[in-house]
Amino acid sequence: MSANKESNLVQGYIELNKFCQSGDYDRALKAAGKILQIAPTEQKAFHCKIICFIQLHNFKEALAVLSNPKNAALAGDLHFEKAYVQYRLNCPKDALQTVDNAPEMTLALKELRAQILYRLEQYQDCYNLYRDIVKNTTDEYEDERKANMSAVVANLAALNPSSDLPQFEETTYELSYNAGSTLAMRGKYNEALPVLKRAEQACSESVIEDGGTEEEAKEEAAIIRVQHAYCLQQMGREKEAANIYHNVLKEKPSDQALVAIASNNLVVINRDANVFDSRKRMKAATAEGLEHKLNSRQRAAIVYNQAILAIYSNQPDFCKQCCVKLTRELNQERRAALVEASSMVKEGKRAQAVALLLKHGGLLTLAAAQVLLAQGDRKAAVKLLEESEFKFRPGVIGVLCTLLCADNEFEKASKMFTEVYEHYKDDERFESLRGVWRAAVEVHQRAGSPANAAAALEALARAAPSDCRSRARLVKLLAASDPARARSLAAQLPPLHRQGKIDVEALESSKWMMGAKVVKKTVQSKQEQSPGTPGSELGQKVKPKRKRKTKLPPNADLSKPPDPERWLPKYERSAYRKRRGVRRDVIKGSQGMTTTAVDQYDMSKQTPSATAATAAKSPRVEHKVGDSAWQRKQQQKKKGKGRKW
């Protein structure tokens, strides 16, 4: 019996090896099951069974078999397989615990742990682990590890753009893509564009060299093109970015995360226009299963844009749901409060919006002040800004100055600038606040406080030592109150220098409002008209005037005097005769007229006496034969002068 069992085991392992070599994991799984039926304690068969489950993507069944207490002895050494199954089932915390419980940290477990840390967004620990692996390992997977490490560096740059991070040689298109992404995360979009262009070209060439088609090359390079479009969008070239997004989505990529990011960015470009298209795009960006393919930063951006789109779509309840999701799941309380307050303002609930913003405080206090200003309550906005922690910031100082001066509260504004001076007088940022001190001078003067104005001018002179104009104003201001000090300051001012000779007469006579060309012409004519010393014109050559030949018509006869009516229009000349059309048959009357009526209206049959009588009734003006058309026109003008209309 034992010999028969041993032969069956040998035969089972032969079949298992054959199916595994051919990649037929369904039959290999059955072969492993037969072996375990014969010998339930076979470790290799159990291991092969778990591998077959993994190759068939039956991760739930694999985890169930590994977690079964009956198989505790067989699964005791399969720490990597169990952690990998947990990782693929989107349980990274459990997977990390399984890896940490392993008795020995092998190379496979280290690499898996690095992937788990990346999924958990613990980028600094992930980077340290990858650096250790790359340093102590040399094999054929070195380029892949560097690509993964460069992806970690790109995410570290997104969290802290000013951090000192390593750079990698662009030996593969993955490394080029991650290098471009790192530059984009640092905000260096102009530098990122050529790097991403090189990565796209290298990706297409690599896929085609490996035997792929152009369509496969386009799909592989789609993520690079989307990153390229993101850089263009951040640079303000939104039309170009939108075209790239549309082209990528038309190709229907299989990567669901890529579709979500491109759709979300199109929603951002649309803003409040084309809301119907934005809602369609947002459905693709919020499809099921994306929560495990996007990091928390990307998911928070999508939910935030979804909430803003709900405001544009007049869906306040849905906007509130998105804000709750931002707060509870993504830890974005301030952004959620800002969006919810915007929705309340649109509904007309401004008091509630201000209360919500003040509840969270911080920078949202400035948003609350903006809501109050939009409501027209300037006094409440001023009070809020004066009590806030940002009251000494230059931007807030400018807003307070504008609001107080608009209400003619110059004394209050003067007091505010005095407090600002006391706050910054010993600060290293004192010299960078020149605009603040200039505004303080104007406010103090309008408030009738020359002493404070002088102090502000002294502050300006301290901040800008080379500003002679401000020192001159200080001397002028101190001349009445403190003459001795004014004299000492005036002695420090640089002397006045005349820049060359100035022709005052030419400057006064010039038409400076008309431009530089007119000034030059006027000055030149002035110089030509000014008389010189007697005899000075002898040495000067008189420029002869250029005579132009008079143009004559080709048929001109110089022996005869010119026609005096040559400048008149043809229809006003005496020789003009109006052209008359050839008269055709005269209408003899309408149909049905009698012959007597026809004869009555036929002028050819009328007698001469009747014609003369008719002509006598219509008077006409008789013109003299010698009068020309021009003389007749002048007479008509003289007659028309006495008319009154």
Side-chain angles (χ1 to χ4, degrees):
M1 190 69 182
S2 61
N4 190 17
K5 180 180 178 181
E6 187 175 349
S7 64
N8 289 338
L9 283 175
V10 172
Q11 185 65 29
Y13 273 114
I14 292 173
E15 291 181 359
L16 179 61
N17 183 46
K18 181 180 72 173
F19 294 142
C20 288
Q21 291 291 334
S22 62
D24 191 353
Y25 295 106
D26 286 321
R27 299 176 73 178
L29 183 62
K30 292 177 182 178
K34 288 180 182 179
I35 295 173
L36 289 173
Q37 285 179 355
I38 298 171
T41 58
E42 279 293 322
Q43 173 70 26
K44 289 184 179 180
F46 182 80
H47 192 184
C48 289
K49 183 178 180 179
I50 299 300
I51 296 299
C52 289
F53 277 131
I54 292 173
Q55 292 291 343
L56 293 171
H57 291 258
N58 293 333
F59 301 112
K60 289 184 179 179
E61 295 182 20
L63 183 60
V65 173
L66 288 168
S67 302
N68 193 342
K70 296 179 181 180
N71 302 324
L74 297 173
D77 296 333
L78 303 180
H79 299 284
F80 174 81
E81 286 76 7
K82 185 177 181 180
Y84 180 76
V85 168
Q86 291 172 334
Y87 170 75
R88 293 298 301 269
L89 288 172
N90 299 314
C91 302
K93 293 183 180 179
D94 297 339
L96 183 62
Q97 185 177 359
T98 302
V99 170
D100 291 340
N101 290 336
E104 183 183 358
M105 188 64 65
T106 61
L107 177 61
L109 284 173
K110 283 184 178 180
E111 291 187 337
L112 180 59
R113 191 174 191 276
Q115 291 286 342
I116 295 169
L117 291 173
Y118 185 84
R119 177 71 63 84
L120 291 171
E121 300 182 25
Q122 299 178 15
Y123 298 118
Q124 189 61 49
D125 296 338
C126 180
Y127 169 73
N128 295 334
L129 184 56
Y130 265 125
R131 188 173 59 179
D132 180 62
I133 294 171
V134 170
K135 184 178 180 180
N136 299 319
T137 308
T138 53
D139 54 17
E140 58 183 358
Y141 300 108
E142 186 175 356
D143 289 340
E144 294 181 4
R145 294 190 188 99
K146 286 184 178 179
N148 292 342
M149 190 174 177
S150 63
V152 177
V153 168
N155 283 278
L156 285 172
L159 296 176
N160 187 7
S162 60
S163 59
D164 186 16
L165 297 171
Q167 295 181 353
F168 301 88
E169 294 183 5
E170 299 176 17
T171 55
T172 61
Y173 74 87
E174 291 95 344
L175 287 169
S176 298
Y177 167 72
N178 289 328
S181 300
T182 303
L183 291 170
M185 295 301 106
R186 289 180 181 271
K188 301 177 181 179
Y189 305 111
N190 278 324
E191 299 178 20
L193 288 177
V195 178
L196 292 171
K197 203 70 179 176
R198 289 198 302 269
E200 182 181 354
Q201 186 177 359
C203 176
S204 301
E205 292 175 356
S206 175
V207 173
I208 292 173
E209 285 177 3
D210 293 341
T213 61
E214 291 186 1
E215 294 181 357
E216 293 175 349
K218 280 186 178 180
E219 185 174 0
E220 186 72 19
I223 187 172
I224 305 175
R225 282 187 284 154
V226 168
Q227 189 75 314
H228 188 275
Y230 168 76
C231 293
L232 293 173
Q233 183 178 352
Q234 293 298 107
M235 292 168 64
R237 297 158 62 178
E238 293 186 345
K239 288 186 178 180
E240 300 175 46
N243 288 334
I244 297 175
Y245 291 138
H246 283 298
N247 292 334
V248 169
L249 292 175
K250 280 180 184 177
E251 295 168 2
K252 296 182 179 179
S254 58
D255 190 353
Q256 196 177 6
L258 183 66
V259 174
I261 292 171
S263 302
N264 172 74
N265 293 355
L266 278 174
V267 171
V268 175
I269 292 174
N270 287 340
R271 293 183 180 85
D272 56 344
N274 204 356
V275 177
F276 179 76
D277 179 71
S278 296
R279 292 178 67 177
K280 184 177 69 174
R281 303 288 180 194
M282 190 52 70
K283 282 185 180 179
T286 55
E288 294 183 1
L290 283 169
E291 60 273 8
H292 303 298
K293 297 182 178 181
L294 301 172
N295 56 39
S296 60
R297 190 179 67 257
Q298 293 168 331
R299 284 184 280 119
I302 290 174
V303 177
Y304 178 72
N305 292 328
Q306 191 178 18
I308 295 175
L309 182 61
I311 297 176
Y312 293 150
S313 306
N314 296 321
Q315 296 175 306
D317 295 334
F318 183 64
C319 176
K320 193 170 184 180
Q321 293 176 11
C322 295
C323 293
V324 170
K325 187 176 181 180
L326 274 173
T327 303
R328 293 180 180 176
E329 299 180 12
L330 301 167
N331 297 323
Q332 299 282 333
E333 295 183 9
R334 292 182 181 274
R335 297 181 79 181
L338 185 61
V339 176
E340 190 174 355
S342 302
S343 179
M344 289 179 178
V345 169
K346 190 173 183 180
E347 292 181 78
K349 303 175 182 177
R350 296 188 175 178
Q352 298 179 15
V354 171
L356 178 63
L357 292 169
L358 292 177
K359 178 182 176 182
H360 290 82
L363 288 172
L364 297 187
T365 307
L366 303 179
Q370 185 178 0
V371 173
L372 291 172
L373 288 174
Q375 194 175 358
D377 195 352
R378 289 193 293 193
K379 291 185 178 179
V382 168
K383 183 180 179 182
L384 181 62
L385 291 174
E386 286 178 342
E387 295 175 355
S388 70
E389 56 183 314
F390 309 105
K391 64 179 181 179
F392 292 120
R393 292 197 178 183
V396 178
I397 293 169
V399 172
L400 285 171
C401 176
T402 303
L403 294 175
L404 291 172
C405 292
D407 292 336
N408 295 324
E409 296 183 2
F410 298 109
E411 294 182 0
K412 196 172 181 181
S414 176
K415 183 179 178 182
M416 178 197 69
F417 277 112
T418 304
E419 294 176 358
V420 170
Y421 176 76
E422 291 296 327
H423 179 77
Y424 281 109
K425 65 179 181 180
D426 298 327
D427 199 305
E428 59 183 6
R429 295 170 291 177
F430 185 88
E431 295 182 359
S432 62
L433 301 175
R434 299 173 187 175
V436 174
W437 310 134
R438 287 192 183 95
V441 174
E442 302 296 332
V443 170
H444 289 318
Q445 287 181 341
R446 296 183 72 177
S449 178
N452 290 331
L457 280 169
E458 288 182 355
L460 184 56
R462 173 187 161 192
S466 60
D467 190 358
C468 299
R469 190 181 297 272
S470 301
R471 288 197 175 191
R473 290 181 65 187
L474 179 59
V475 170
K476 185 178 179 181
L477 194 64
L478 292 174
S481 59
D482 194 353
R485 181 114 187 277
R487 288 193 196 93
S488 63
L489 289 173
Q492 299 175 7
L493 290 172
L496 293 174
H497 297 287
R498 293 187 64 184
Q499 301 293 333
K501 295 182 179 180
I502 300 174
D503 191 349
V504 180
E505 294 182 359
L507 188 62
E508 289 179 351
S509 63
S510 63
K511 300 175 182 177
W512 55 273
M513 289 290 288
M514 303 297 291
K517 292 184 179 179
V518 179
V519 171
K520 289 181 180 179
K521 288 182 180 179
T522 312
V523 172
Q524 188 176 359
S525 62
K526 183 86 174 179
Q527 291 173 355
E528 289 175 358
Q529 292 176 4
S530 59
T533 57
S536 61
E537 67 274 4
L538 296 177
Q540 297 178 357
K541 291 184 179 180
V542 180
K543 190 175 182 180
K545 292 184 179 180
R546 183 180 176 186
K547 292 184 179 181
R548 296 184 180 181
K549 292 183 179 181
T550 55
K551 291 185 179 181
L552 297 174
N555 56 352
D557 189 1
L558 299 177
S559 61
K560 296 179 182 180
D563 185 9
E565 296 182 356
R566 64 186 182 276
W567 306 117
L568 292 176
K570 284 188 176 182
Y571 66 88
E572 292 184 2
R573 299 181 187 181
S574 58
Y576 177 73
R577 291 290 179 269
K578 189 175 181 181
R579 188 176 180 183
R580 298 179 180 271
V582 180
R583 294 189 65 182
R584 304 199 180 271
D585 295 338
V586 181
I587 299 174
K588 301 298 184 181
S590 60
Q591 185 178 4
M593 289 181 67
T594 60
T595 54
T596 56
V598 171
D599 295 340
Q600 181 184 355
Y601 291 108
D602 191 357
M603 301 304 293
S604 62
K605 296 182 180 180
Q606 295 290 332
T607 59
S609 61
T611 309
T614 323
K617 291 180 182 178
S618 58
R620 65 179 180 179
V621 180
E622 294 183 359
H623 301 287
K624 295 180 181 180
V625 179
D627 292 347
S628 64
W630 182 79
Q631 291 172 347
R632 290 197 300 271
K633 189 174 182 181
Q634 295 298 323
Q635 289 174 3
Q636 288 174 3
K637 287 182 179 179
K638 289 178 181 179
K639 289 178 181 179
K641 284 183 179 179
R643 293 179 183 176
K644 294 182 180 179
W645 300 93

